[in-house]
Amino acid sequence: MDQQNDCTIQRGQPLRRYPNDYKAEGHSSTLSKTMTNQPQYSNTGRPTVRIAVYLMTGVFLTMEVEQNATAQQIFTIVQSEAELGLSRFSLATTTPIFALWMCSSQLEVQLRPTHKPVELAAKWNYLVTKYTCHIEDPDDEEPLLYFRRNIFLTKSEEEQIKDTKVLELLYAEAKYNVLQGRYACDGPARYASLGALQARIELGPYNAQTHTLAFFHRHRGRFLPHYYASPSLLLGLGLGLGLVGGKGAPEAHLLEQYKRIPSHNGSANANPKKLIRKYLEFCWNLPCYGAAFFQGQIERPVRGLASWITNRDMQVLIAINTSGVYIVDDMQCSLLLGLKYSELSWEMAKPSDENNPDCLPCLFVQFPVRENGARVYKILQVFSRQAPMMDTLISGFAEDYRRQFINSDSSNDQLDHPLVFPSGSFTNKLSKFTLATFDDEGRCIGQMGSWSFR
């Protein structure tokens, strides 16, 4: 270990695997709890604490570090751990492939190299209170330190990666985001394709005796997102009350796709390394891939008497990556809106009454569409305490876009057609939003919901 790090890893401690629900298992290796431990001291005489760094593959690494250790120092320790098989050379790209993240259920932050994780964990409750809503007890938000994909890594850079260990980590993270509904696909068929690839990677070749429809029905939550594995959806498909049903069931599609994957590892298409890359290649085409996710809410469009009795706010995720900004309904695994940086303008607004906890900052997002043959501009209001964080990230990515494409053909007018996603698989679901509409002259020509009272 480099002496310049002033950090030492606890030797003799192999990588350990953590369960999916580590809190339910009584796991206590959180950063916040290290603050209450009796401090030890390094050979420099400075206090040290024991921490854990989690990988998306389901293992964690424990180490002793000084309390003022930086994220870069801890990152270097993880990267150089022999058992992980990640050498500094395998991670050498223009942009670092991975970064340290501090995460709890309500807040996720990618750390800068100079951040000091132990000190940041000590004020996590304050950050949760500042940047999230409706948390009854922020003390329950215990942060964990993760080794995850770097938000600033572009897809084109990732596509050049050949290292097997690196691809395995990226696959594990992509799989997590697919199953959580963050990497929204267009319909169950695409989820079935990803689930089939995952099954082949993790279960091996298809075995007719073992891998039955009943097997995938029992384990549907392992291979399909929660929305497509929920009892309510399965009941609608005739799969409730223990019944294993028809050809239209998501797990039936998954099984059919699974059967088609060659069973011999000698086949180029069945090699596990090839399958992991194929899974990633599929995910690289999803608009939200590689995004940082923020929690927010939007006004739900309601009409008539329902406007007086229906809660208009809808909880959403705002996904921001190097390509654009996206609004995701992760509960229904649906991508509602996607905008590239060439298509959007935005502005952050502070709350009108900063002393009112229910008055939230927001992002105004403006984008052009063609409506009845004319170009108009829609404005969406996204409420979130995390709006300042989103504003900062969008500003950086938008500036990168302008710097790269200001003199290219990409800067030409792109409004000769309705806005659609590049893959052609997604269209913006504008009917899900409460929007204001403006013409080319800046005149408001359409209002909905609370916009009508402005």
Side-chain angles (χ1 to χ4, degrees):
M1 192 62 55
D2 293 342
Q3 295 299 317
Q4 65 181 7
N5 289 329
D6 287 334
C7 299
T8 57
I9 191 168
Q10 183 69 28
R11 296 299 178 184
Q13 295 290 331
L15 294 177
R16 289 182 284 175
R17 184 164 295 277
Y18 60 90
N20 290 333
D21 190 356
Y22 49 84
K23 288 186 178 180
E25 297 290 336
H27 197 317
S28 61
S29 295
T30 59
L31 275 173
S32 58
K33 290 187 178 180
T34 67
M35 305 304 299
T36 61
N37 293 342
Q38 186 69 26
Q40 305 297 314
Y41 294 89
S42 68
N43 53 13
T44 64
R46 292 191 285 265
T48 64
V49 293
R50 186 174 182 79
I51 65 171
V53 180
Y54 293 81
L55 282 71
M56 301 304 290
T57 48
V59 298
F60 66 92
L61 184 66
T62 58
M63 64 185 75
E64 294 282 347
V65 298
E66 294 181 358
Q67 286 189 352
N68 64 349
T70 65
Q72 181 60 54
Q73 290 171 329
I74 297 172
F75 178 92
T76 301
I77 292 174
V78 177
Q79 183 179 308
S80 60
E81 172 57 26
E83 195 172 347
L84 290 177
L86 299 172
S87 69
R88 295 178 183 181
F89 303 103
S90 68
L91 300 183
T93 57
T94 304
T95 305
I97 300 171
F98 298 104
L100 286 187
W101 288 70
M102 189 170 290
C103 306
S104 65
S105 65
Q106 298 295 318
L107 184 61
E108 303 178 7
V109 179
Q110 178 173 313
L111 305 185
R112 297 191 185 98
T114 56
H115 275 140
K116 297 180 179 180
V118 177
E119 294 182 3
L120 195 60
K123 57 181 180 182
W124 192 253
N125 293 342
Y126 163 77
L127 295 174
V128 168
T129 301
K130 180 178 179 180
Y131 289 114
T132 62
C133 302
H134 311 303
I135 301 297
E136 294 183 2
D137 187 1
D139 291 340
D140 290 339
E141 286 288 300
E142 297 178 350
L144 297 178
L145 199 57
Y146 281 94
F147 188 82
R148 294 187 355 187
R149 187 187 186 279
N150 181 3
I151 177 63
F152 300 105
L153 181 72
T154 65
K155 292 181 187 179
S156 60
E157 289 177 308
E158 183 170 336
E159 289 168 357
Q160 305 306 312
I161 297 172
K162 307 297 183 183
D163 186 278
T164 301
K165 293 292 186 181
V166 174
L167 292 175
E168 287 175 356
L169 286 177
L170 293 170
Y171 158 75
E173 186 168 346
K175 178 184 70 174
Y176 170 83
N177 284 315
V178 167
L179 295 178
Q180 290 297 311
R182 292 181 164 195
Y183 287 175
C185 294
D186 187 24
R190 292 180 179 270
Y191 282 117
S193 297
L194 285 170
L197 279 172
Q198 179 192 339
R200 180 61 177 82
I201 293 166
E202 299 178 9
L203 302 177
Y206 168 70
N207 182 321
Q209 301 301 316
T210 304
H211 304 133
T212 62
L213 183 58
F215 170 86
F216 283 107
H217 178 68
R218 289 195 305 271
H219 299 281
R220 58 188 180 268
R222 177 178 172 184
F223 301 103
L224 293 169
H226 54 82
Y227 176 70
Y228 292 99
S230 68
S232 59
L233 178 69
L234 295 171
L235 184 62
L237 294 171
L239 295 177
L241 304 176
L243 299 177
V244 180
K247 295 182 179 179
E251 58 260 47
H253 287 298
L254 187 158
L255 178 58
E256 290 304 313
Q257 294 285 343
Y258 181 36
K259 290 178 180 179
R260 296 174 188 170
I261 301 175
S263 59
H264 299 292
N265 285 335
S267 169
N269 291 328
N271 184 296
K273 296 178 183 178
K274 297 287 187 181
L275 291 170
I276 284 175
R277 187 167 187 88
K278 189 173 183 65
Y279 190 101
L280 284 170
E281 287 173 351
F282 191 114
C283 291
W284 289 338
N285 290 320
L286 299 176
C288 293
Y289 185 79
F293 292 88
F294 303 87
Q295 299 188 8
Q297 58 196 66
I298 58 174
E299 185 178 354
R300 193 192 308 266
V302 290
R303 297 171 178 84
L305 292 177
S307 64
W308 296 99
I309 59 176
T310 303
N311 182 2
R312 296 181 180 179
D313 289 338
M314 174 182 179
Q315 302 298 318
V316 294
L317 290 180
I318 300 90
I320 301 171
N321 61 18
T322 57
S323 300
V325 179
Y326 309 91
I327 307 296
V328 179
D329 179 358
D330 60 317
M331 296 305 296
Q332 296 193 11
C333 305
S334 176
L335 182 56
L336 304 180
L337 177 68
L339 300 168
K340 287 190 170 184
Y341 293 112
S342 59
E343 302 165 341
L344 67 86
S345 301
W346 81 99
E347 184 174 342
M348 192 198 81
K350 294 182 178 180
S352 56
D353 182 1
E354 297 191 20
N355 294 321
N356 183 353
D358 294 325
C359 192
L360 305 178
C362 68
L363 281 181
F364 290 98
V365 181
Q366 176 181 294
F367 54 95
V369 299
R370 286 207 175 269
E371 201 170 75
N372 300 322
R375 178 169 65 180
V376 298
Y377 294 90
K378 301 287 186 177
I379 295 182
L380 170 67
Q381 191 172 12
V382 180
F383 300 92
S384 174
R385 292 197 193 281
Q386 298 175 13
M389 302 166 67
M390 290 187 273
D391 178 50
T392 299
L393 193 56
I394 294 172
S395 297
F397 284 144
E399 180 59 33
D400 286 344
Y401 170 82
R402 284 191 291 268
R403 188 164 51 246
Q404 293 175 24
F405 296 102
I406 192 169
N407 295 320
S408 72
D409 292 340
S410 299
S411 62
N412 294 334
D413 187 5
Q414 302 181 12
L415 300 175
D416 293 333
H417 52 79
L419 295 179
V420 296
F421 292 101
S423 64
S425 300
F426 295 93
T427 56
N428 291 323
K429 301 175 177 65
L430 300 186
S431 63
K432 300 288 186 179
F433 300 100
T434 296
L435 302 167
T437 306
F438 293 81
D439 63 15
D440 266 334
E441 302 298 323
R443 294 186 293 263
C444 183
I445 57 176
Q447 304 172 57
M448 300 172 62
S450 60
W451 285 100
S452 302
F453 299 96
R454 298 175 188 230

